[in-house]
Amino acid sequence: MEWKNIEKKVEDGIATVTINRPKALNALNYDTLMEMLDCFKAIGDSKDIHVVIITGSGEKAFVAGADISFMGELDPLEARGFGKLGQNVLNTIENLPQPVIAAINGFALGGGCEIALACDMRLASDRAKFGQPEVNLGVIPGFGGTQRLPRLIGKGHANELVFSGKIINAEEACRIGLVNRVVPHDQLLEECISLAQMISAKSPVAVRLCKESVNNGIEMDLDRGCAYELDLFSLCFASSDQKEGMKAFLEKRAPKFIGS
Ligand code: DAK
C-alpha cells in the first residue's frame, strides 16, 4: 500500500511514525487511518523493531482529531464504519508487542488525544495542548476516549475534559497524569529517542512480556493479575535472553540480548 499521509523511519530498532497532513493539522481522514493500520500491522510483525515513536509533522499539531470535513458528510452506518476503523487502528497500536511512545508535539485533540491514550507512554512538548472537544461538534469521542481516558486519569478528570470539551496545556496534562512529562519543544524528539534507546537496549523478550503483563493484567482483579504475571515471569525462563541476562550479571559484564 502506498502511503501519502504518514511516514515511517526505522533506525537502530526504533521506528518513528509521523502523521503527515500538516495543512489539516494532521487530522485523521479515512485514508490516513487505513495507512496507519497498514503501517502498524507491519511493525507488529517485525522482530527488528524494538520501540515505536508516534508524532505529528509540522510545528503546530500532533493530531487535531478526526477529520471534521470528512466526518461531516457521513450517514450513521458510514460513521459507524469510520469509528470502527479508528478503534481498530488504536487497538492495533495499543496491542503492538513493542512499547509505543507518543511524542506529542502540539495539538492532541479528539482522535489525536485518543491516539496518545493508546500509546504506552506520553511525552509532551511544552507547546502541546490536549482536549476531547467532540461535544462542540455534537458528538462523543469515538476512538475509545470515554474508555481509555478515565482508566488513565480517573473518572473525575476525564469527565471534566469530555463533558466540557475544554483544552488544557501540557503542564496541566502532566498534573492530572495524562502525560508522563513535559519537555522543551525542541528537545521532544531527542528525549523520546533517548527513552526508546534505553528500552531497546533491554531484553526484547522481557520488554514485550512486561507490556503484555501490564496491558492485560490491568483489566483483571489483583489476584488474577498476579497469577497472570507469574505465568509470564516463568515464560521468561524459556528464553536465551534470561540465561544471558543472569549470566552476564554474574560475570560482571553487559548482557548481549538476542530477543529470543
Ligand atoms: N479536521 C479537519 N481539518 C482540521 C481539523 C480537523 N479536526 N483541525 C484543523 N483543521 C484544519 C483547519 O480547518 C484549517 O484548514 P484550512 O482552513 O487552512 O483549510 C487548518 O487545519 C488549520 O487550522 P486552523 O486555521 O483552525 O488553526 P488554528 O491554529 O486557528 O486552530 C485548532 C487550531 C486545533 C484549535 C483548530 O483547528 C480546531 O479547533 N480544530 C478542530 C479540533 C477538533 O475539534 N478536533 C476534534 C475533532 S472530533 C466517531 C469517531 C471518532 C470521532 C468522532 C466520532 N464515530 C464513531 C463516528 C472523533 C472525533 C474527533 O476527533
Side-chain angles (χ1 to χ4, degrees), residues 46-89:
S46 168
K47 289 270 172 280
D48 301 325
I49 294 173
H50 300 310
V51 186
V52 182
I53 296 171
I54 303 178
T55 194
S57 76
E59 282 300 301
K60 271 173 87 171
F62 175 66
V63 169
D67 190 310
I68 298 167
S69 51
F70 174 81
M71 281 194 302
E73 300 302 317
L74 301 181
D75 67 28
L77 284 180
E78 289 168 338
R80 192 180 175 88
F82 182 63
K84 261 194 163 173
L85 173 61
Q87 293 199 355
N88 194 358
V89 172

Side-chain angles (χ1 to χ4, degrees), residues 14-219:
I14 299 167
T16 302
V17 178
T18 305
I19 320 292
N20 187 25
R21 291 185 73 213
K23 283 189 183 149
L25 303 188
N26 305 321
L28 305 169
N29 58 9
Y30 180 84
D31 289 349
T32 308
L33 288 171
M34 287 300 284
E35 292 174 21
M36 289 171 76
L37 194 57
D38 187 52
C39 173
F40 289 117
K41 281 192 165 161
I43 287 177
D45 289 339
S46 168
K47 289 270 172 280
D48 301 325
I49 294 173
H50 300 310
V51 186
V52 182
I53 296 171
I54 303 178
T55 194
S57 76
E59 282 300 301
K60 271 173 87 171
F62 175 66
V63 169
D67 190 310
I68 298 167
S69 51
F70 174 81
M71 281 194 302
E73 300 302 317
L74 301 181
D75 67 28
L77 284 180
E78 289 168 338
R80 192 180 175 88
F82 182 63
K84 261 194 163 173
L85 173 61
Q87 293 199 355
N88 194 358
V89 172
L90 269 60
N91 289 342
T92 303
I93 294 172
E94 188 167 51
N95 293 317
L96 280 177
Q98 302 93 338
V100 185
I101 303 169
I104 305 156
N105 55 312
F107 287 110
L109 304 179
C113 189
E114 288 166 308
I115 289 180
L117 292 170
C119 297
D120 299 302
M121 294 152 282
R122 285 155 288 279
L123 269 56
S125 139
D126 52 9
R127 293 191 206 158
K129 297 244 180 344
F130 298 81
Q132 296 288 161
E134 286 86 350
V135 286
N136 294 325
L137 304 168
V139 292
I140 73 168
F143 294 161
T146 62
Q147 304 306 305
R148 289 193 181 91
L149 193 59
R151 281 169 169 78
L152 181 71
I153 64 173
K155 239 176 104 179
H157 286 307
N159 285 343
E160 190 172 337
L161 286 173
V162 170
F163 298 169
S164 73
K166 75 179 189 182
I167 292 179
I168 58 170
N169 64 22
E171 196 187 322
E172 174 70 355
C174 193
R175 196 186 65 77
I176 63 174
L178 178 46
V179 298
N180 295 35
R181 60 178 185 272
V182 182
V183 302
H185 184 75
D186 56 2
Q187 289 168 27
L188 177 66
L189 227 62
E190 208 177 297
E191 284 279 335
C192 290
I193 289 169
S194 145
L195 176 59
Q197 284 170 336
M198 197 184 268
I199 295 168
S200 76
K202 306 299 186 266
S203 154
V205 173
V207 170
R208 285 174 182 225
L209 290 176
C210 282
K211 173 164 174 174
E212 220 175 301
S213 191
V214 171
N215 274 4
N216 295 330
I218 208 160
E219 301 299 334

